[in-house]
Amino acid sequence: MFAGALVAATLASCGHEQQVTGNFDSEAMNAMLQTESQFGDIALGSDSWEVVICQIPRDTTDPIFEPGNERLKLSSADIVHELDPVVDYFSRWSNGRYLPKFTAVNGVSISADEKSDVCVDRALDQSLDSTRGVLVIANAQHTETAVGGWGRPGSPCVENCSARLTRRAVYVGASDFMPYWNGHPPLDLIEHEMGHALDWPHSSTSVDNFGNGVYDSAVDVMSNSAAPRDINSDERNAPGSLGINMYLAGWLDDGNVALVDSGTKSFELVATNTGLVVDGLRLVLVPLNNSTVISVEVIGATGDNRHLLHDRVVVHQIEVVGMNGFERRQTVLDADLQVGKSWSNGKVAITVKQLVTTNSVSTAKIEVRIAP
Ligand SMILES: [Zn+2]
């Protein structure tokens, strides 16, 4: 329990009322909590982000950029305006506990022989002490085969976490903000990269996918963030976040999480997109070994997750890797467990006994059976 106690002490020193203290009978969970404690309140409260446009010269030699003369015409203030739904998105999924605050600032530029990353270095170097992250948008589009962007939480920091020191940043190409979108840009990429800036890792449907850039799960903003748009081209947000990320961010409380490590136990789970005014469990965790747990949660097919078309229980394997959250390996074990069905690895069996929606709150009764 040493790690759990250390987490509680570290967080208490921030001066925030902190509902996530941990102290699980699971080395894997305590390791995750300790890792997140190094980032202080990175995912809580008002989070100041500077929005910066980077001018890319027409003769740029960085192959990430589409050749040609087309450039974004929006100002950083225009972009801030278009980011309102991103603020809403994080407000909803954090249960009102996390609010990115975007502020337009002066642009930066790079020369023809400098790479896109230099945009971010310049934006960070010019940022105010009180700024905790910079969101940099290149005014040129990336090629179709290049990544859309990236995000990072920066170096661990608990107090006065100025982005100029931690180097916390999100960077994207211009594609999602070009005139083609008529002021209604897709925001799933920004939401995904902001997730990395909260120290969240990718997830995918196979352990073999890690390191191969295959992010193919439709139930997680940190995987196929465009999944809602793939179903309905009018959608703009990413899918919601996974319960494990919500909990480690401090968006769920200890009382919303149960851990089971032996025997047979039954639980009623409330869908993760339900406001905390509704009591109840959001996440059941089953430790597999010192570095791995299985997570079980209910995803309601409404709001950001309406592309899923029906409510479901989802099961993930969460493996601690490295000393950062963004290196955790989160693998889908079952993305659509329905009533009467079970998932099992031979040692742990999870069965859905009931899955219902009452007054727009989706709940499931599940049974977890662990072989002796
Ligand atoms: Zn990513």
Side-chain angles (χ1 to χ4, degrees), residues 149-151 192-193 196 200-202 215 222-223:
W150 53 262
H192 174 105
E193 305 306 351
H196 286 310
W200 291 355
H202 287 134
Y215 308 114
M222 301 315 294
S223 194

Side-chain angles (χ1 to χ4, degrees), residues 95-260:
N95 293 304
R97 292 178 181 178
Y98 175 68
L99 279 181
K101 188 168 163 272
F102 297 111
T103 304
V105 301
N106 290 337
V108 294
S109 61
I110 57 171
S111 62
D113 57 356
E114 288 175 321
K115 293 269 195 283
S116 63
D117 291 1
V118 176
C119 292
V120 179
D121 290 335
R122 296 213 165 114
L124 285 165
D125 290 343
Q126 75 169 19
S127 65
L128 296 174
D129 280 348
S130 56
T131 295
R132 298 210 302 183
V134 296
L135 167 52
V136 181
I137 297 124
N139 75 340
Q141 300 183 78
H142 287 187
T143 65
E144 265 181 41
T145 51
V147 294
W150 53 262
R152 67 184 178 211
S155 53
C157 175
V158 174
E159 258 184 293
N160 302 323
C161 299
S162 162
R164 197 149 36 77
L165 300 174
T166 64
R167 314 308 275 180
R168 186 176 183 221
V170 165
Y171 165 83
V172 295
S175 302
D176 289 347
F177 296 97
M178 297 306 279
Y180 169 82
W181 297 104
N182 287 320
H184 295 284
L187 296 166
D188 57 277
L189 177 67
I190 298 261
E191 288 158 355
H192 174 105
E193 305 306 351
M194 291 289 290
H196 286 310
L198 299 172
D199 199 28
W200 291 355
H202 287 134
S203 69
S204 67
T205 61
S206 162
V207 173
D208 297 335
N209 287 341
F210 287 99
N212 296 325
V214 179
Y215 308 114
D216 54 357
S217 166
V219 304
D220 179 11
V221 53
M222 301 315 294
S223 194
N224 179 12
S225 67
R229 265 196 293 145
D230 293 345
I231 300 293
N232 174 357
S233 58
D234 292 335
E235 298 288 2
R236 288 295 172 263
N237 282 328
S241 66
L242 294 184
I244 186 72
N245 295 340
M246 294 169 74
Y247 174 64
L248 292 171
W251 300 352
L252 297 173
D253 297 332
D254 287 348
N256 301 123
V257 181
L259 188 132
V260 49

Side-chain angles (χ1 to χ4, degrees), residues 11 14 16 18 36 39-45 98 132 157-158 161:
L11 291 171
C14 300
H16 288 273
Q18 177 54 261
E36 285 326 296
F39 287 92
D41 59 354
I42 197 169
L44 292 171
Y98 175 68
R132 298 210 302 183
C157 175
V158 174
C161 299

